Amino acid sequence: MPPRRAAKSSSKPASTPWTDDVERVASSFGLDPARGLGAKQVAAARSEHGFNELDKEDSKPLWKLVLEQFDDALVKILLLAAVVSFALAFTEERAPGVDVSIVDFVEPGVILLILVLNAIVGVWQESNAENALEALKEMQSETARVLRDGAWRHDLPARELVPGDLVEIRTGDRVPADARVAELRTATARFDQASLTGESVSVSKRVEPVPDPDCELQAKECVAFGGTAATQGQCRAVVIATGMRTEIGKIQAQISQASEETEDTPLKQKLDDFGDQLTWAIGVICLLVWVMNYQFFISWRWSAEAPFAPADVTFDFSACTYYFKIAVALAVAAIPEGLPAVITTCLALGTRKMAKKNAIVRKLQSVETLGCTSVICSDKTGTLTTNQLILDIDEIAVLADACDPEFVILVERWRLSRRTRTPSILPSAARSPKRAARTWR
């Protein structure tokens, strides 16, 4: 049989390849199933679609992570108080022969130590979360089996795939890109799509197209999605989307967009409001305390010639600095400098608890957000729990009390499938539903 000629590439590939048959999908990309794509076709497709890789966000430098830890109203107040205390320690007038000592820097030193510890905990937590998230992003296959120019390449880097490539997927392989199943090499081919849908049960794929162009992702039974794993069988498929155009790429784009729209948590909002109110209150009180003692560092007398013109004004800078230091000390005493450290410690302990449950917390405030959550709406409990079905005895008693025959049969099948020692409720259910529930209990 003479080899088939490559079909001419159309100007626009099929927008819904899952609704078209294999021949039309291959024709839309100019693919010859017997030879694969040619070098010119690959170059043209790569210039249009780019490499098959997800966008990687630039990691934040260490200095930016450190600065973010000080982006808090209370922390800024404490930092300002520490700077003023340091300045006063250097400028304060002392008795002759008395030099600057460590005692003068105890108060600002303690404040800075608390702020530094708070920043260290925050940076450490975010750095660990970033490393864990980077590990989760390594879900794309590194190599792929591709047919090009009539020869199969078994070690082609997955990033060099382009739409229209014919790839072969075997058991244990991770799908390198979204691909339309073109041929089943075994009786069945099943894929684990838990990373996309949350379903723990593998999905069987087929060659026949799907009639609905607007179907959900789970209903696209003729498409193997990038990042999923082949659990059984072998098939060949035509690549229809690469890089950020794949389903996993769309998810990453949505996550990145959502991260830019994040709002402050309720706790942070309350702390910011508290910090603003505390700033105004402390500022006004300290100013009043400093002004009330003005007679100790400034004095004057009214001139007889001009009643409203002061004369012989005297100003004592040392006394002014002394009373200003008292006002600063009052401000520092009013600021709860231990509050940021206590909050950070409590949130860090919460992340440690969640880490034991295999939960990754990127920001410490996320722990507080989860603690404020009262209702979680989800259609897949296995995504949020251990994916185990537990029967509630009280609910079973209520259903058995209604003497629903279908329920009785269902429980009996469950009992036999689990091979438990639970006695059967079939005999007693027909006579006494309540006793059946007690017997099953």
Side-chain angles (χ1 to χ4, degrees):
M1 177 181 294
R4 288 178 291 181
R5 296 181 180 178
K8 294 183 179 180
S9 176
S10 61
S11 59
K12 185 178 180 181
S15 58
T16 56
W18 53 90
T19 60
D20 299 329
D21 53 26
V22 178
E23 289 76 12
R24 184 174 179 181
V25 174
S27 176
S28 66
F29 291 106
L31 170 65
D32 180 3
R35 292 188 54 83
L37 293 181
K40 293 183 179 179
Q41 291 175 301
V42 172
R46 182 170 294 126
S47 63
E48 179 181 356
H49 301 281
F51 286 99
N52 177 34
E53 56 187 3
L54 301 179
D55 294 341
K56 293 185 178 180
E57 298 180 2
D58 296 333
S59 58
K60 292 182 181 179
L62 181 61
W63 64 269
K64 186 173 290 187
L65 287 177
V66 174
L67 289 180
E68 287 182 354
Q69 308 307 316
F70 293 92
D71 188 16
D72 185 86
L74 285 177
V75 174
K76 291 177 181 177
I77 296 174
L78 288 173
L79 192 60
L80 178 62
V83 171
V84 173
S85 298
F86 267 114
L88 292 177
F90 282 105
T91 59
E92 183 182 11
E93 293 186 5
R94 295 176 177 80
V98 179
D99 298 329
V100 179
S101 62
I102 300 178
V103 178
D104 298 328
F105 302 99
V106 170
E107 183 177 317
V110 171
I111 297 176
L112 288 180
L113 179 61
I114 293 175
L115 295 179
V116 169
L117 291 177
N118 179 66
I120 290 175
V121 173
V123 171
W124 172 79
Q125 174 62 33
E126 292 198 22
S127 299
N128 287 347
E130 288 287 347
N131 295 334
L133 290 174
E134 286 297 327
L136 288 178
K137 290 179 181 179
E138 300 298 328
M139 297 185 62
Q140 285 189 304
S141 177
E142 296 182 358
T143 60
R145 301 179 186 88
V146 187
L147 177 64
R148 284 185 179 175
D149 292 323
W152 282 97
R153 298 183 56 181
H154 298 272
D155 56 351
L156 181 75
R159 69 185 300 268
E160 297 184 7
L161 288 178
V162 295
D165 269 326
L166 183 63
V167 297
E168 186 175 82
I169 306 170
R170 301 176 182 176
T171 302
D173 292 346
R174 192 171 289 277
V175 183
D178 288 2
R180 170 69 162 85
V181 178
E183 178 186 359
L184 294 180
R185 307 286 290 177
T186 55
T188 58
R190 302 184 68 87
F191 291 81
D192 181 8
Q193 299 183 167
S195 58
L196 295 179
T197 64
E199 297 289 351
S200 60
V201 181
S202 58
V203 180
S204 179
K205 296 298 180 179
R206 66 183 188 183
V207 179
E208 292 75 16
V210 178
D212 186 7
D214 299 323
C215 62
E216 298 293 335
L217 186 143
Q218 297 91 327
K220 299 177 182 178
E221 298 178 352
C222 58
V223 178
F225 299 102
T228 61
T231 59
Q232 180 184 349
Q234 179 180 345
C235 68
R236 291 180 179 177
V238 179
V239 176
I240 58 176
T242 57
M244 295 300 293
R245 295 180 178 86
T246 60
E247 292 296 333
I248 194 171
K250 295 176 183 178
I251 292 176
Q252 178 174 327
Q254 292 173 358
I255 293 176
S256 300
Q257 183 180 1
S259 63
E260 298 175 357
E261 301 174 357
T262 54
E263 298 180 356
D264 292 336
T265 61
L267 178 61
K268 193 173 188 310
Q269 292 177 1
K270 292 180 180 179
L271 288 176
D272 289 342
D273 293 341
F274 174 70
D276 295 338
Q277 296 173 4
L278 191 64
T279 301
W280 285 102
I282 292 176
V284 171
I285 293 175
C286 292
L287 182 62
L288 289 176
V289 170
W290 186 55
V291 172
M292 287 172 59
N293 296 279
Y294 74 93
Q295 68 271 15
F296 295 104
F297 54 85
I298 186 172
S299 61
W300 67 88
R301 68 179 182 82
W302 299 106
S303 175
E305 299 176 355
F308 298 100
D312 299 334
V313 179
T314 57
F315 179 75
D316 188 351
F317 180 76
S318 176
C320 178
T321 304
Y322 173 76
Y323 285 104
F324 181 71
K325 187 175 181 181
I326 291 178
V328 172
L330 180 62
V332 173
I335 297 173
E337 62 269 8
L339 183 59
V342 171
I343 293 175
T344 302
T345 304
C346 293
L347 295 179
L349 292 176
T351 59
R352 187 177 180 181
K353 277 187 175 182
M354 296 181 68
K356 292 181 180 179
K357 301 293 185 180
N358 299 325
I360 299 174
V361 180
R362 188 170 187 175
K363 292 185 178 295
L364 291 176
Q365 290 80 4
S366 301
V367 180
E368 179 263 333
T369 303
L370 185 60
C372 294
T373 303
S374 57
V375 177
I376 298 178
C377 300
S378 174
D379 63 339
K380 297 178 180 64
T381 57
T383 309
L384 304 176
T385 62
T386 58
N387 198 29
Q388 295 179 353
L389 177 63
I390 300 176
L391 296 179
D392 192 333
I393 297 299
D394 295 332
E395 294 180 2
I396 290 175
V398 172
L399 291 172
D401 193 20
C403 197
D404 188 350
E406 294 183 359
F407 166 75
V408 174
I409 296 175
L410 177 63
V411 173
E412 181 66 11
R413 289 178 178 175
W414 176 85
R415 185 186 69 82
L416 294 176
S417 63
R418 297 296 296 268
R419 297 181 180 179
T420 62
R421 297 181 180 179
T422 306
S424 174
I425 66 172
L426 285 177
S428 56
R431 299 189 302 271
S432 175
K434 293 184 179 179
R435 189 172 65 177
R438 289 194 297 268
T439 303
W440 195 89
R441 183 193 296 261

